[in-house]
Amino acid sequence: MIQLLFLIIISAVVLSIAFFGFRDVPLTRRMILAGGALAAATIGVLMQSSFSWYMSLLAIVAVSLLAALIYIKVLEKEQKEIERDEEERKARRKEMISTASSLHPAPEPTPIKNEVADQATNVRETIQVTEKISMPEPVKMPQMEKEPERVKELVGAKPFGMQSIKSVGKEDQGEQ
């Protein structure tokens, strides 16, 4: 009886971990894994009292193998669905391309006359004045002749040292 109680407690923990812990795995696969593990444990507990230990161990292995085969079959089915969907998309895409090309034949290329380029060469030939390229003059920054007053105040000040720190401790407590 205590064994069944432990089995129920462990099954609740396993199902909650499988359901909430592995969110990225689809629900069917999660339940196959958790259900297979719980079925193997249940059969092991039930067979433990009436059969020898190795028979219950063989039953656990057999149920686990059965759950693994079911899991693999589900994976194969999902993979086949994905491949079938990809093939259908490719077929639709090829059909759309073929219908689009039959409805709208490609136009024959025509030579393009470049009138803008011809005008630009004519304009270049007519300009006879040479252009002067001048460099911009460097920008002169005004010099600061006066130092800020605050800097002058700090020049004559004494450096900060340990002398300015007053100790806090026994001396202050005695004065109070």
Side-chain angles (χ1 to χ4, degrees), residues 36-82:
L38 291 177
T42 304
I43 289 175
V45 166
L46 294 176
M47 290 182 69
Q48 183 180 12
S49 60
S50 59
F51 293 100
S52 61
W53 65 271
Y54 59 89
M55 291 299 284
S56 62
L57 183 65
L58 284 174
I60 290 171
V61 170
V63 171
S64 299
L65 181 63
L66 182 65
L69 288 173
I70 292 171
Y71 184 81
I72 294 299
K73 289 295 180 183
V74 168
L75 281 178
E76 286 178 356
K77 183 179 174 184
E78 290 175 359
Q79 187 67 28
K80 284 181 182 178
E81 286 180 15
I82 291 171

Side-chain angles (χ1 to χ4, degrees), residues 3-173:
Q3 292 172 344
L4 289 176
L5 179 64
F6 285 141
L7 179 66
I8 291 171
I9 292 170
I10 290 172
S11 64
V13 170
V14 167
L15 285 176
S16 63
I17 288 173
F19 188 75
F20 294 111
F22 302 104
R23 292 243 181 224
D24 55 340
V25 179
L27 181 65
T28 55
R29 288 194 246 162
R30 279 186 281 177
M31 289 303 122
I32 289 171
L33 291 174
L38 291 177
T42 304
I43 289 175
V45 166
L46 294 176
M47 290 182 69
Q48 183 180 12
S49 60
S50 59
F51 293 100
S52 61
W53 65 271
Y54 59 89
M55 291 299 284
S56 62
L57 183 65
L58 284 174
I60 290 171
V61 170
V63 171
S64 299
L65 181 63
L66 182 65
L69 288 173
I70 292 171
Y71 184 81
I72 294 299
K73 289 295 180 183
V74 168
L75 281 178
E76 286 178 356
K77 183 179 174 184
E78 290 175 359
Q79 187 67 28
K80 284 181 182 178
E81 286 180 15
I82 291 171
E83 289 175 0
R84 184 178 51 83
D85 290 343
E86 288 177 2
E87 291 295 326
E88 287 177 0
R89 270 190 253 125
K90 286 180 183 178
R92 273 190 255 133
R93 195 175 299 142
K94 286 180 182 178
E95 182 180 318
M96 288 175 64
I97 291 172
S98 64
T99 57
S101 64
S102 65
L103 292 176
H104 302 287
E108 296 181 17
T110 57
I112 299 172
K113 186 175 181 182
N114 197 348
E115 296 174 4
V116 175
D118 294 338
Q119 290 175 359
T121 54
N122 292 340
V123 169
R124 242 186 248 153
E125 293 171 0
T126 59
I127 297 175
Q128 296 177 355
V129 178
T130 59
E131 295 181 29
K132 292 184 179 179
I133 299 175
S134 62
M135 296 295 291
E137 295 182 20
V139 177
K140 295 181 181 178
M141 296 295 291
Q143 295 288 333
M144 289 183 61
E145 296 178 10
K146 295 182 179 179
E147 289 187 25
E149 293 179 15
R150 183 177 175 132
V151 174
K152 288 182 181 179
E153 291 176 6
L154 293 177
V155 172
K158 293 183 182 179
F160 181 76
M162 293 297 291
Q163 297 82 12
S164 63
I165 299 175
K166 294 183 180 179
S167 62
V168 177
K170 294 182 180 177
E171 297 173 1
D172 290 339
Q173 290 176 358

